[in-house]
Amino acid sequence: MARSTGVDVLTGAGLDEALSGADAVIDVTNTFATDPAQAEDFFSTATGNLLAAGQRAGVRHHVLLSIVGLDRVRGNGHYHGKRRQEQLVQAGPVPWTILRATQFFDLAAMVVSWTADHGAAAIPPLLVQPVAVADVAAALAEVVTGPPRRTSLDVAGPEPQDFVDMARRTLAARRDPTRLVPSWRGGPFGVEMAGEVLLPGPEARLGTTTFDAWLAEIATAADGA
Ligand SMILES: NC(=O)c1ccc[n+]([C@@H]2O[C@H](COP(=O)([O-])OP(=O)(O)OC[C@H]3O[C@@H](n4cnc5c(N)ncnc54)[C@H](OP(=O)(O)O)[C@@H]3O)[C@@H](O)[C@H]2O)c1
């Protein structure tokens, strides 16, 4: 379900038709809103609509993709909205599991694309344990085919990384000359994300794809382009 396939979780358009006959829902919708009120508005409306439509359709398992460290980060609008989303799922009418993932491998380059200005980009010096989207998808598939856990589980990548270094190496693989400026200002992630708040707990499921392997794929694609 996506607006590009004719389903809008905010207005509810196409939702009942899309959920007809569905046993389970995996919610991976997103908003680019960084303002706390706007992010909360998106996630509460979208999640309320999805849960209500799921109940009407007899959905037996609602799986939500969320973020590792959500409770430890205050002062970030996206995280504020995601906390509200988790609360709605936990209190909602459909049995649920929440899978919290760490940052995806492409996030550092995405932040660069948001902050780039006249050949330079601000990038926060985060400590992260990023994960391949394919490993998150595999974890979601495993969770959704199991019973509702009514708890949250963490999924992360195999090793910690320095976010500035991730951005630098991704830009190099893409032959992108943008200059990086390590900074807590100018982007969506502020100093509230310093330290170890974004790292997974010891019980996290770890994906097997390394950042190096993902980078090698990026470099091959860039060379072929
Ligand atoms: N990116 C990360 O590093 C990361 C890490 C941990 C957790 N997460 C969480 O994972 C989730 C997905 O993140 P992402 O980075 O994969 O997001 P994304 O690439 O922006 O994808 C969001 C999806 O939501 C759909 N969507 C947006 N508004 C919609 C609407 N009104 N109705 C129906 N579909 C809508 C979009 O399709 P259309 O535009 O076609 O509607 C798109 O398919 C988020 O909740 C995020 O918090 C992300």
Side-chain angles (χ1 to χ4, degrees):
M1 295 182 283
R3 288 166 301 181
S4 49
T5 62
V7 183
D8 191 327
V9 294
L10 284 182
T11 63
L15 206 46
D16 284 328
E17 295 82 348
L19 287 187
S20 170
D23 290 322
V25 166
I26 302 176
D27 181 5
V28 293
T29 52
N30 201 12
T31 172
F32 289 112
T34 52
D35 172 76
Q38 285 177 3
E40 179 171 349
D41 195 36
F42 175 89
F43 284 118
S44 359
T45 306
T47 306
N49 286 343
L50 265 177
L51 290 169
Q55 187 181 30
R56 284 195 295 276
V59 164
R60 288 174 294 173
H61 194 179
H62 183 100
V63 177
L64 172 64
L65 182 60
S66 191
I67 315 173
V68 164
L70 197 69
D71 305 316
R72 296 189 289 266
V73 174
R74 300 284 153 175
N76 177 284
H78 183 76
Y79 281 53
H80 171 80
K82 294 291 291 184
R83 272 194 294 276
R84 181 74 192 120
Q85 184 183 37
E86 283 201 356
Q87 289 162 2
L88 286 172
V89 168
Q90 288 161 1
V94 183
W96 56 277
T97 307
I98 294 174
L99 184 72
R100 289 176 163 182
T102 54
Q103 291 62 44
F104 301 166
F105 284 155
D106 65 353
L107 189 64
M110 204 175 286
V111 170
V112 169
S113 75
W114 295 334
T115 65
D117 187 22
H118 292 90
I123 182 92
L126 306 174
L127 179 59
V128 293
Q129 193 163 324
V131 64
V133 167
D135 287 339
V136 175
L140 284 169
E142 194 177 303
V143 165
V144 79
T145 50
R149 304 280 202 91
R150 295 186 186 275
T151 189
S152 61
L153 315 165
D154 284 1
V155 60
E159 57 202 8
Q161 299 285 343
D162 163 342
F163 204 60
V164 180
D165 185 56
M166 284 173 65
R168 199 179 309 287
R169 294 169 68 199
T170 310
L171 294 187
R174 290 179 177 168
R175 317 280 183 254
D176 181 333
T178 303
R179 188 169 61 84
L180 296 178
V181 181
S183 172
W184 292 110
R185 296 165 198 269
F189 305 133
V191 73
E192 70 276 2
M193 294 191 172
E196 299 191 342
V197 293
L198 299 179
L199 296 183
E203 307 297 321
R205 168 191 171 125
L206 299 186
T208 53
T209 313
T210 62
F211 186 64
D212 284 338
W214 179 81
L215 269 182
E217 278 179 31
I218 298 288
T220 306
D223 287 343

